[in-house]
Amino acid sequence: MTAERALRTAAPDELLDALRRVLAKEYAARSAELFMADYGMTVLQPVPVPPHSVEPLAVHGSAAGRAFGAQEPFVEPAPEGLVRVHLPVSVRGDRLGVLSVTLPEDALTPDGLAELAETAEVLAHEVVVAGRDTDLYLRARRKDRLTLAAEMQWQLLPGGSCARPEYELGAQLEPAYGIFGDNFDWSATADHLMLYVTNGMGEGIEASLLTNLAINALRNARRAGISLADQAALADQAVYAHYRGRCYLSVLMFDFELATGRVTVVDAGSPQMLRLRGGTVERVAFDAQLPLGMFEETDYVAQEFHVRPGDRLVFVSDGVYAVADPQGEAYGDTALARAIQSTRLLPAADVPRAILRELSGHRGRPAPDDDALVVCLDWHGR
């Protein structure tokens, strides 16, 4: 409660300093550092940004990265009778980073560790709120400079992951610092989860502008409370009115009923969905309809299917399944199914990054020619 009070009264850019004072007083902490996960989810970047702070840490292979990946506190010994406690900083399943606190070993009790973990969660909520008034935490997320198109796309996204009792979601875009068209969006109510997976057209700023128009048109329609098919129709009209058919956007739209697992879907273009059920991976095909904005006044028809507890759904853009290796062979369903099988024990938040790493190996070069988007949904049911 002391930490929460201090964080809520601190200036947006002084959250860490306020928390350090509380940790020093209540737990005799010698130091506390906040690390934010970078856009590529490969590095934990210190707040504030270098050179005024400690060095970045790898997500894979560091003690802080272990806490980040497992989403559990991790304690490591430090010299002179001290320990270093690494605590995940997350909000409703969205993994922001890690809080690392150094304190005397004899001051760390099981109850104290639980309190520190709760304090890191409170910090996560305050970081999200503070992001409205300061760029400090967004700056810390970037280990390289974002292109303008990528800046626009990341600001459009809801988060990198989220979790509720009924489901867990994780998503990742590549190249993280140079994306321009692909996108994902989700929104939940007490009874529904709506999920959109978008495959953008074009490159650079033009692709980002097209996606921004389409996503905001979909959000506007969704917030008006209309059906999925009508959302697609209204967004289609908005895109066509501006581009007159010169540019259009592919999107796969879902409305999950949380109580029953009944799903309404509109397939308007190229993103695909694969399902892992009972150890078997299969592509689930829907009746394909026209992308948004291709023609004037397109009518969209919703379809239905059901998900079962234990299902894993993986959604990909054509920058994943159509990527060719140096010999010209496309990644395709077989390789994608193999990647989904090999990552089946990972939590949903880790799956997209792992699949994109395997895709990079298939591609044979680090830099992709097209955006690549992977979204993973684990369905638990109610």
Side-chain angles (χ1 to χ4, degrees):
M1 291 179 64
T2 305
E4 185 173 1
R5 192 179 304 113
L7 288 168
R8 287 186 174 177
T9 56
D13 59 329
E14 295 179 355
L15 296 180
L16 185 56
D17 288 338
L19 184 58
R20 281 171 173 156
R21 290 191 290 270
V22 173
L23 294 175
K25 180 179 179 182
E26 301 292 335
Y27 301 94
R30 305 294 177 84
S31 66
E33 304 294 341
L34 173 61
F35 298 87
M36 301 291 291
D38 86 302
Y39 288 104
M41 291 298 221
T42 59
V43 174
L44 294 167
Q45 295 276 109
V47 179
V49 295
H52 308 295
S53 62
V54 297
E55 292 298 311
L57 304 172
V59 167
H60 302 285
S62 67
R66 182 168 172 174
F68 181 78
Q71 287 295 284
E72 293 180 354
F74 179 70
V75 181
E76 65 170 337
E80 301 177 2
L82 302 175
V83 291
R84 193 161 172 81
V85 184
H86 304 283
L87 307 147
V89 177
S90 304
V91 180
R92 295 189 175 94
D94 190 12
R95 305 181 302 170
L96 305 182
V98 172
L99 175 67
S100 296
V101 182
T102 303
L103 68 163
E105 184 176 8
D106 55 11
L108 184 64
T109 64
D111 287 345
L113 183 60
E115 290 171 5
L116 287 171
E118 194 170 340
T119 298
E121 187 176 339
V122 172
L123 173 62
H125 282 265
E126 293 304 317
V127 165
V128 171
V129 174
R132 299 181 304 180
D133 301 310
T134 179
D135 287 337
L136 178 66
Y137 308 102
L138 287 176
R139 286 185 61 202
R141 289 191 62 189
R142 53 198 74 192
K143 66 182 181 68
D144 298 307
R145 183 173 179 178
L146 289 177
T147 64
L148 177 55
E151 185 86 51
M152 293 168 67
Q153 289 296 82
W154 282 110
Q155 291 299 306
L156 193 62
L157 298 174
S161 55
C162 72
R164 278 181 53 162
E166 298 91 348
Y167 61 84
E168 294 177 45
L169 267 167
Q172 182 63 27
L173 288 159
E174 185 186 84
Y177 291 84
I179 53 170
F180 33 77
D182 289 2
N183 190 273
F184 58 87
D185 193 28
W186 56 61
S187 177
T189 65
D191 300 310
H192 290 264
L193 166 68
M194 288 193 179
L195 170 65
Y196 312 129
V197 181
T198 305
N199 197 149
M201 173 186 178
E203 298 182 359
I205 296 297
E206 291 304 317
S208 185
L209 288 171
L210 170 63
T211 302
N212 268 261
L213 172 61
I215 291 296
N216 279 293
L218 286 170
R219 287 175 175 172
N220 179 255
R222 181 182 75 213
R223 292 163 185 169
I226 65 178
S227 69
L228 205 66
D230 288 339
Q231 291 177 34
L234 287 176
D236 170 72
Q237 292 171 20
V239 174
Y240 185 84
H242 187 76
Y243 290 100
R244 313 302 296 181
R246 298 188 309 274
C247 297
Y248 43 86
L249 186 113
S250 297
V251 61
L252 198 52
M253 305 170 59
F254 298 88
D255 182 355
F256 293 84
E257 197 171 85
L258 300 181
T260 65
R262 185 175 69 91
V263 188
T264 304
V265 56
V266 172
D267 183 349
S270 57
Q272 296 185 3
M273 186 189 89
L274 291 92
R275 178 178 61 205
L276 173 61
R277 173 183 287 175
T280 301
V281 178
E282 59 180 344
R283 185 162 71 88
V284 180
F286 305 105
D287 294 336
Q289 301 175 73
L290 293 173
L292 305 184
M294 182 173 280
F295 297 106
E296 189 174 10
E297 295 186 5
T298 303
D299 290 326
Y300 292 91
V301 179
Q303 306 161 66
E304 287 189 4
F305 75 106
H306 281 79
V307 285
R308 302 175 187 169
D311 280 357
R312 168 166 285 180
L313 307 180
V314 177
F315 313 89
V316 295
S317 65
D318 63 4
V320 176
Y321 61 79
V323 167
D325 65 11
Q327 287 72 45
E329 182 179 347
Y331 195 59
D333 285 359
T334 302
L336 187 53
R338 190 164 55 244
I340 293 171
Q341 286 281 15
S342 68
T343 58
R344 65 188 182 278
L345 299 180
L346 294 177
D350 290 336
V351 169
R353 182 73 254 164
I355 291 178
L356 288 171
R357 279 199 303 270
E358 293 204 19
L359 179 68
S360 179
H362 170 86
R363 190 170 54 232
R365 59 189 186 282
D369 297 324
D370 190 13
D371 286 11
L373 165 64
V374 179
V375 180
C376 179
L377 169 65
D378 281 352
W379 185 261
H380 306 309
R382 182 167 290 180

